[in-house]
């Protein structure tokens, strides 16, 4: 597969990945819907379909050796990430959360040999973050204080150029006061780092374009609320005190 580690994450790139991995994505999407139905008593999916699919696609394209997931809740994002690593044939996921609901929910066949779960406050387990992390997925506490903490403590620990996903940034056209999204988006602007979002509220044209493409590719209709508030970007070069 062509090496594309520094390609800008934008609508064109994401559409390219949808076309490249459409067949495998359809199979994973079907399996995930069946998984959600079987686990509905103990798990509520926390990512909308576009967010989950784009995360899967970026993982397939970049083939990271190590992935860090900050925030697992019941395991929906965890299972999508592990599905991508399985389909890549390589890679290990390191998931961090204060609660361990995910341990009971993630299918054994996805977890075995490719997953490490670290329970506890990330502020106390930061030294267990892999220094060779190739993809960073953030969906944890959504307040501004925690966002400032991970921008200054977690982000400088991972390599520059890797894809990063941060959830719950744009439920509305603008970020909310005292919210994680406002802190992260402001930080990206200060560092002149572009981001991509499929948020229906923030980027309706991109949201519609992706839905049109999904229909053309024969993918199942979007399930859930369809808010898609996640943002994606490349990690800028940071010092330990960024």
């Amino acid at each position: 597969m062509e090496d594309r580690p520094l390609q800008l994450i934008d609508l064109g790139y994401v559409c390219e990945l949808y076309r490249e991995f459409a067949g495998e994505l359809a199979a994973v999407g079907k399996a995930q819907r069946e998984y959600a139905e079987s686990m509905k008593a103990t798990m509520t999916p926390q990512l909308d379909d576009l967010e989950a699919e784009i995360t899967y696609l970026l993982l397939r394209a970049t083939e990271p050796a190590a992935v860090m997931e900050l925030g697992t809740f019941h395991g929906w994002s965890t299972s999508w990430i592990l599905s991508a690593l399985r389909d890549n044939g390589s890679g290990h996921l390191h998931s961090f959360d204060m609660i361990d609901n995910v341990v009971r929910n993630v299918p054994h066949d996805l977890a075995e040999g490719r997953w490490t779960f670290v329970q506890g406050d990330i502020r106390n387990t930061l030294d267990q973050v892999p220094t060779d992390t190739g993809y960073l997925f953030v969906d944890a506490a959504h307040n501004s204080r925690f966002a400032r903490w991970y921008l200054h403590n977690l982000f400088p620990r991972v390599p520059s150029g890797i894809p990063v996903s941060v959830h719950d940034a744009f439920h509305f056209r603008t970020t909310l006061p005292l919210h994680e999204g406002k802190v992260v988006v402001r930080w990206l602007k200060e560092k002149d780092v572009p981001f991509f979002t499929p948020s229906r509220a923030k980027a309706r044209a991109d949201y519609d374009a992706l839905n049109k493409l999904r229909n053309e590719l024969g993918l199942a209709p979007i399930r859930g609320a369809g808010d898609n508030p996640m943002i994606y970007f490349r990690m800028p070069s940071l010092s330990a005190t960024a």
Side-chain angles (χ1 to χ4, degrees):
M1 182 181 298
E2 181 187 357
D3 185 15
R4 299 167 291 191
L6 296 179
Q7 187 158 349
L8 178 67
I9 300 174
D10 60 9
L11 178 63
Y13 181 46
V14 170
C15 287
E16 175 188 334
L17 297 183
Y18 264 100
R19 296 186 183 97
E20 181 175 350
F21 295 103
E24 293 157 288
L25 181 60
V28 172
K30 180 176 183 295
Q32 286 293 109
R33 287 190 296 276
E34 294 172 351
Y35 164 57
E37 180 63 24
S38 70
M39 300 295 291
K40 62 184 179 182
T42 60
M43 185 193 68
T44 301
Q46 296 299 303
L47 298 182
D48 286 315
D49 282 355
L50 285 180
E51 298 170 324
E53 291 171 357
I54 294 169
T55 300
Y56 172 88
L57 293 171
L58 289 170
L59 287 163
R60 293 302 313 278
T62 55
E63 298 183 317
V67 179
M68 183 199 169
E69 178 189 28
L70 177 56
T72 60
F73 200 37
H74 292 309
W76 184 244
S77 58
T78 308
S79 60
W80 269 98
I81 294 170
L82 289 171
S83 294
L85 300 185
R86 177 202 60 201
D87 294 347
N88 281 344
S90 63
H92 196 93
L93 172 61
H94 302 258
S95 299
F96 294 73
D97 207 323
M98 296 180 70
I99 59 174
D100 64 353
N101 294 343
V102 63
V103 175
R104 298 184 292 274
N105 287 344
V106 171
H108 179 73
D109 63 312
L110 282 179
E112 186 176 17
R114 63 175 67 94
W115 186 41
T116 298
F117 175 70
V118 180
Q119 185 174 7
D121 191 325
I122 183 62
R123 290 168 290 193
N124 299 324
T125 59
L126 192 61
D127 61 341
Q128 296 185 55
V129 174
T131 57
D132 63 341
T133 293
Y135 193 110
L136 176 60
F137 181 98
V138 180
D139 186 10
H142 298 304
N143 60 75
S144 58
R145 176 178 293 183
F146 184 66
R148 286 191 293 269
W149 180 87
Y150 70 66
L151 288 174
H152 287 272
N153 294 277
L154 171 61
F155 278 24
R157 295 182 68 92
V158 302
S160 62
I162 68 169
V164 181
S165 308
V166 177
H167 197 229
D168 284 322
F170 283 107
H171 283 288
F172 304 95
R173 186 165 182 80
T174 60
T175 53
L176 296 174
L178 304 178
H179 190 271
E180 170 190 27
K182 181 171 286 296
V183 174
V184 175
V185 169
R186 182 173 60 229
W187 182 84
L188 290 171
K189 183 177 181 180
E190 290 170 353
K191 296 189 177 300
D192 197 27
V193 177
F195 66 84
F196 172 73
T197 180
S199 166
R200 181 171 57 180
K202 174 65 176 177
R204 185 58 186 259
D206 289 351
Y207 171 86
D208 289 343
L210 287 175
N211 273 289
K212 180 180 178 182
L213 177 59
R214 291 180 79 266
N215 289 337
E216 292 172 355
L217 295 172
L219 297 173
I222 290 289
R223 55 172 295 285
D227 289 341
N228 305 295
M230 184 168 279
I231 60 174
Y232 304 86
F233 56 91
R234 296 281 183 181
M235 181 66 72
S237 179
L238 302 172
S239 68
T241 59

